[in-house]
Amino acid sequence: MATCRQLVEDLISSYHDLNSDVVSEIEAEPSALEFMRYVAKNRPFVVRKGITHWKALQYWNADYLIKKMKNETIKVAITPYGNADSVIVDTGSGVQYFVKPLEEDEPFNCFLKSVSAQEHGKESNPNVKYGQTQNDNLRGEYESLFQDVEPDIAWARIAFGYKPEAINLWIGNSRSITALHKDNYENIYCQIIGSKQFVLLPPVEASCVNEKLLPSAKYMWKSDDMDEGQLKMVLAGEGEGLTPFATWDPDLPHKNSTSFSALSKPLRVDLGPGDMLYLPAMWYHKVSQKCGSEGICCAVNYWYDMEFSGHFYSSATFIHDVGNAAAK
């Protein structure tokens, strides 16, 4: 009789035998029916130049964004390495922590000028700033820019039968990297300025990512004088609990790997201005970015609630739990 480990290996191998090792590309936005075929298979796809009709693609640049945002204040994530919401190893103890960024309010124009200056080597402060609040911010703090994008993605709304739970704007420079993680949302990601580089792993590869329950921490200023610009990692209180998070990086495959990591076949896709990516629910993804000529990178994503009824969520959770148990 096959062992649990052998069954997990066979599961990953058979998945790769039955599925393409590249992300599908389509030339035009799909119909709701065509879209649901991808959702049913839980497979990603890219629509090249799918949002070229948006006002954002035609008008957004640094001057336009500052003019539209006027004197609005936004919440900015600040980290020493551009590594918000990621795993950091304490150099003294060797313990891994899940670290959240320092968040501070800042006038939008100051934020954008700082991000651009750092990209062009004209910013003395080494800390990395990222506009990345994931709280429906395009209909909140960035509301003045909302009219430049679509209020929803029509074919996704028709297919799911409801509007997006959140629409988020992402603004930063090339120093910001989003660590490997997964979301319980159906995600439509739209690139506006600059480019994004995605590394994607399907839910069946949960045993490859070396997920651990990590103590939480947060970046804070080392002193009350913020002008010193030095951040420190501060451990969360006892009530914070532990955070499950992937510790394996597919770009560093021999570090923090499990016995299954070598079976992983990450999909890689680049998004340029005007491109759309359907990122299915529960897919692991790591994201890096490159800036446009003005030293900024901008994207918008639409989160639609995933369907928890039916078999998919339960099956994916079972695969996750069994795979992690076999990896230990």
Side-chain angles (χ1 to χ4, degrees), residues 15 19 31-45 159-160 186 203 278-281 283 306-307 309-313 315-316:
Y15 178 88
N19 291 277
S31 67
L33 177 59
E34 290 169 333
F35 173 56
M36 282 305 294
R37 289 173 179 153
Y38 283 93
V39 175
K41 293 187 292 184
N42 191 241
R43 292 288 297 181
F45 66 83
F160 293 132
E186 305 286 3
Y278 165 55
L279 178 58
W283 272 62
M306 70 171 289
E307 182 58 69
S309 62
H311 73 87
F312 171 69
Y313 178 75
S315 298

Side-chain angles (χ1 to χ4, degrees), residues 229-250:
Q230 293 186 332
L231 294 170
K232 63 180 179 180
M233 188 175 68
V234 177
L235 303 187
E238 293 184 3
E240 288 287 331
L242 301 175
T243 300
F245 205 78
T247 63
W248 182 64
D249 184 344

Side-chain angles (χ1 to χ4, degrees), residues 32-104:
L33 177 59
E34 290 169 333
F35 173 56
M36 282 305 294
R37 289 173 179 153
Y38 283 93
V39 175
K41 293 187 292 184
N42 191 241
R43 292 288 297 181
F45 66 83
V46 170
V47 184
R48 295 297 181 192
K49 305 302 180 183
I51 60 167
T52 52
H53 60 287
W54 284 16
K55 284 183 64 177
L57 263 291
Q58 301 168 30
Y59 295 111
W60 280 16
N61 57 38
D63 287 342
Y64 179 90
L65 294 173
I66 290 173
K67 181 179 179 180
K68 291 286 288 187
M69 287 294 290
K70 298 180 180 178
N71 297 320
E72 292 290 335
T73 297
I74 64 165
K75 195 165 290 295
V76 178
I78 306 173
T79 62
Y81 313 111
N83 56 334
D85 297 333
S86 65
V87 179
I88 295 295
V89 178
D90 181 75
T91 54
S93 64
V95 175
Q96 292 177 314
Y97 291 93
F98 173 72
V99 184
K100 297 180 180 180
L102 171 68
E103 290 189 335
E104 290 195 333

Side-chain angles (χ1 to χ4, degrees), residues 228-304:
E228 292 186 4
Q230 293 186 332
L231 294 170
K232 63 180 179 180
M233 188 175 68
V234 177
L235 303 187
E238 293 184 3
E240 288 287 331
L242 301 175
T243 300
F245 205 78
T247 63
W248 182 64
D249 184 344
D251 290 325
L252 299 170
H254 302 297
K255 186 177 180 180
N256 293 323
S257 61
T258 73
S259 56
F260 299 109
S261 298
L263 298 175
S264 176
K265 294 184 178 181
L267 304 183
R268 298 177 184 271
V269 61
D270 290 357
L271 295 187
D275 293 342
M276 311 174 75
L277 168 68
Y278 165 55
L279 178 58
M282 302 187 75
W283 272 62
Y284 294 92
H285 50 289
K286 175 185 176 182
V287 191
S288 55
Q289 55 194 22
K290 297 178 182 178
C291 295
S293 60
E294 294 187 307
I296 59 175
C297 182
C298 297
V300 170
N301 83 298
Y302 296 74
W303 269 341
Y304 291 84

Side-chain angles (χ1 to χ4, degrees), residues 1 47 62 80 84 98 101 108 140 144 153 175 190 213 283 317:
M1 180 177 293
V47 184
F98 173 72
F108 179 81
S144 59
I153 304 300
R175 300 196 185 191
C190 305
L213 288 172
W283 272 62
T317 301

